């Protein structure tokens, strides 16, 4: 039995460590101290469980052990820093009853942690890095690789964010109801940014990063369980509908396959069914927003058995509503592509050329890629070639670069 304890501890770590950490951060009020306590708690488990047996409820045991270890650390440090003596005393006097820890709404601790990591006092880059590190459990090296940031710089970004949370006394809590819309929006934006980087990596050797999009979906599911807001539901639906296409988006060699050329039998029907159900739930609330509208657009694609069955008129009308709800040049671009599919490539060219002339999307690679493809379909090879060369200048992802180079060779 004792021989299996390390495997048991490892399994519990994978399943429970982020929940334990979230509760320790609430109890201890400090990220670094909580992370040390988490490590100490699992070390204690490896030492004590072979002798005493695995607790019936490991999570509260680990939280309690971690808390006691943190108090011991503070007492040892207090010999050199007297300011820690009072903190150790206060933590020691606070409730440490395991039964109370069992009854804690520990999932609420994870929700508190998400909102803390996405506090508006932090930069968007810091919000993303801190969320991936503390809530998702990705290593600093993994996050740095995902966003092509040197590891030391990324580590400093996370450290500065933690220091700001501590020094600014940012509360570890879900915001009050009147603050929730603004704060929830930041959380949803961070989750969607993480998903997009995983769904279509901005650079590097791979088209996608399944680990990042998977973490974003996991976070959205957690948020949906704890805070069933219609836009949370809509965002989860949107990500599931997009993620369902992953098996068909690239060849076995990692080369890009465009939407019209994908084998739709490879799309994940379970994810599509879940996404459609969630999208319908969000729409029926009549309190939905931009994420739900984008999910409704993704649903039109998901329901089309082949490209010719796509209801482009409905997609354009949905983009019209989305533009009124959340105007942006990127949404205008997406609408222009849909118009091109409904009314022909020349209609799309005119809209995209107008957008680019305004200067809003000058360095936005998808705008030039869409224009190049429409020029190609119109037989305007020289215009297409110039647009593809601009795309190549703006593309850092290797599979996309190879795809554009093949298009140029065809011209």
């Amino acid at each position: 039995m004792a021989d299996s304890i390390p495997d048991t501890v490892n399994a519990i770590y994978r399943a429970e460590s982020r929940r334990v950490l979230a509760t320790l951060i609430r109890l201890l009020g400090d990220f670094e101290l909580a992370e040390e306590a988490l490590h100490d708690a699992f070390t204690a488990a490896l030492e004590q469980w072979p002798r005493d047996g695995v607790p019936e409820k490991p999570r509260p045991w680990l939280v309690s052990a971690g808390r006691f270890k943190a108090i011991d650390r503070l007492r040892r440090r207090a010999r050199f820093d007297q300011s820690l003596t009072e903190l150790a005393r206060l933590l020691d006097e606070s409730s440490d009853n395991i039964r109370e820890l069992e009854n804690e709404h520990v999932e609420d601790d994870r929700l508190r942690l998400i909102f803390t990591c996405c506090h508006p006092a932090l930069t968007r880059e810091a919000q993303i890095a801190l969320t991936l590190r503390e809530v998702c459990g990705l290593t600093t090296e993994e996050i740095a690789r995902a966003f092509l940031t040197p590891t030391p710089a990324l580590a400093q970004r996370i450290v500065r964010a933690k220091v700001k949370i501590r020094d600014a006394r940012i509360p570890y809590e879900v915001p009050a109801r009147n603050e929730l819309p603004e704060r929830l929006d930041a959380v949803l934006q961070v989750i969607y940014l993480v998903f997009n980087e995983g769904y279509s990596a901005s650079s590097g050797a791979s088209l996608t990063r399944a680990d990042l999009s998977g973490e974003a979906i996991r976070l959205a599911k957690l948020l949906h369980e704890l805070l069933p807001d219609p836009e949370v539901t809509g965002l989860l639906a949107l990500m599931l509908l997009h993620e369902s296409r992953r098996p068909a988006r690239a060849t076995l060699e990692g080369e890009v396959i465009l939407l019209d050329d994908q084998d739709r039998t490879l799309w994940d029907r379970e994810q599509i069914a879940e996404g459609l159900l969630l999208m319908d739930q969000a729409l029926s609330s009549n309190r939905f927003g931009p994420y739900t509208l984008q999910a409704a657009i993704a649903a039109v694609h998901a329901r089309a058995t082949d490209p010719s069955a796509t209801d482009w008129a409905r997609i354009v009308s949905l983009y019209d509503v989305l533009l009124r709800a959340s105007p942006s040049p990127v949404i205008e671009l997406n609408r222009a592509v849909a118009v091109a599919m409904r009314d022909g490539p020349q209609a799309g060219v005119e809209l995209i050329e107008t957008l680019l002339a305004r200067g809003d999307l000058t360095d936005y690679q998808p705008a030039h890629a869409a224009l190049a493809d429409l020029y190609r379909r119109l037989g305007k090879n020289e215009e297409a070639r110039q647009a593809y060369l601009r795309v190549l200048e703006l593309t850092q992802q290797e599979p996309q670069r190879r795809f554009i180079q093949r298009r140029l060779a065809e011209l």
Side-chain angles (χ1 to χ4, degrees):
M1 177 65 179
D3 292 341
S4 66
I5 292 296
D7 291 339
T8 300
V9 172
N10 284 334
I12 292 172
Y13 183 88
R14 288 192 298 272
E16 304 285 3
S17 62
R18 308 330 289 174
R19 294 180 176 90
V20 173
L21 177 64
T23 301
L24 286 170
I25 291 173
R26 173 176 59 81
L27 293 174
L28 302 174
D30 184 277
F31 279 86
E32 301 295 344
L33 187 60
E35 287 167 358
E36 292 172 347
L38 177 71
H39 175 78
D40 290 343
F42 277 93
T43 300
L46 285 170
E47 294 169 352
Q48 296 181 37
W49 291 1
R51 181 186 68 241
D52 302 335
V54 177
E56 182 181 351
K57 296 184 177 180
R59 186 164 62 198
W61 188 100
L62 289 161
V63 170
S64 183
R67 182 177 162 278
F68 279 122
K69 294 290 185 181
I71 293 169
D72 288 343
R73 277 181 180 272
L74 288 173
R75 284 175 175 155
R76 289 196 300 272
R77 294 174 186 173
R79 287 178 289 180
F80 307 100
D81 184 351
Q82 289 301 310
S83 66
L84 297 177
T85 303
E86 179 64 11
L87 178 57
R89 184 187 67 78
L90 289 172
L91 289 174
D92 200 20
E93 288 180 355
S94 63
S95 173
D96 59 8
N97 188 298
I98 289 184
R99 179 166 296 176
E100 289 185 15
L101 291 174
E102 290 174 359
N103 293 331
E104 284 281 0
H105 299 295
V106 291
E107 290 296 353
D108 289 351
D109 286 332
R110 300 180 79 191
L111 185 57
R112 292 185 187 101
L113 183 54
I114 292 173
F115 276 98
T116 301
C117 291
C118 294
H119 194 278
L122 303 177
T123 66
R124 183 53 46 85
E125 293 80 7
Q127 290 175 357
I128 295 171
L130 200 58
T131 300
L132 287 172
R133 180 71 190 91
E134 304 302 330
V135 181
C136 302
L138 272 65
T139 67
T140 305
E141 292 76 11
E142 287 173 327
I143 303 168
R145 282 199 302 271
F147 293 97
L148 294 180
T149 303
T151 298
L154 193 284
Q156 283 301 310
R157 185 179 297 167
I158 292 173
V159 168
R160 285 194 297 270
K162 292 176 180 177
V163 169
K164 185 158 193 173
I165 288 171
R166 183 194 66 206
D167 292 349
R169 300 184 182 277
I170 291 173
Y172 179 70
E173 64 186 14
V174 175
R177 183 165 294 277
N178 63 324
E179 299 174 335
L180 197 55
E182 176 191 1
R183 293 286 302 279
L184 180 60
D185 183 59
V187 171
L188 296 180
Q189 284 184 27
V190 166
I191 291 175
Y192 196 38
L193 282 170
V194 172
F195 174 82
N196 280 334
E197 182 62 27
Y199 185 73
S200 183
S202 57
S203 53
S206 299
L207 179 66
T208 64
R209 280 286 307 273
D211 53 342
L212 287 181
S213 53
E215 285 295 340
I217 289 172
R218 188 182 69 81
L219 274 181
K221 286 184 174 180
L222 169 63
L223 197 57
H224 183 251
E225 290 172 7
L226 304 179
L227 194 69
D229 178 272
E231 270 297 81
V232 177
T233 306
L235 175 59
L236 178 55
L238 171 62
M239 293 192 297
L240 286 169
L241 290 170
H242 280 319
E243 186 69 6
S244 69
R245 305 177 200 160
R246 177 183 293 279
R249 292 182 60 227
T251 66
L252 293 176
E253 295 76 27
E255 300 303 321
V256 176
I257 303 176
L258 298 182
L259 179 61
D260 280 359
D261 300 323
Q262 290 174 14
D263 179 355
R264 300 189 178 206
T265 63
L266 297 177
W267 289 3
D268 189 320
R269 306 316 300 184
E270 288 187 9
Q271 286 185 322
I272 289 174
E274 185 180 359
L276 292 176
L277 178 63
L278 290 165
M279 187 268 297
D280 287 339
Q281 289 174 359
L283 284 175
S284 67
S285 72
N286 291 321
R287 292 189 296 113
F288 56 84
Y291 294 115
T292 302
L293 287 168
Q294 291 177 74
I297 292 168
V300 177
H301 290 292
R303 288 181 168 127
T305 54
D306 62 74
S308 64
T310 305
D311 188 346
W312 287 107
R314 176 162 177 74
I315 290 176
V316 171
S317 67
L318 286 167
Y319 273 123
D320 289 339
V321 177
L322 181 57
L323 266 174
R324 291 196 293 272
S326 182
S328 84
V330 171
I331 294 173
E332 286 186 72
L333 171 65
N334 293 337
R335 180 187 178 277
V337 172
V339 168
M341 298 302 295
R342 184 191 66 181
D343 300 337
Q346 184 59 41
V349 164
E350 292 170 5
L351 290 170
I352 296 175
E353 285 180 339
T354 301
L355 268 173
L356 289 171
R358 277 183 4 211
D360 295 327
L361 300 174
T362 302
D363 297 323
Y364 189 59
Q365 185 257 32
H368 297 279
L371 187 60
D373 184 61
L374 294 177
Y375 281 143
R376 182 184 63 84
R377 288 165 55 192
L378 287 169
K380 296 182 176 182
N381 288 357
E382 181 54 29
E383 290 90 337
R385 191 178 74 83
Q386 292 302 321
Y388 278 129
L389 288 172
R390 180 63 176 141
V391 175
L392 210 54
E393 290 177 5
L394 297 170
T395 300
Q396 299 181 46
Q397 188 198 94
E398 287 307 314
Q400 289 182 348
R401 288 185 66 82
R402 291 194 296 270
F403 178 83
I404 298 305
Q405 287 163 347
R406 288 196 298 273
R407 281 283 199 244
L408 280 166
E410 291 169 4
L411 291 173

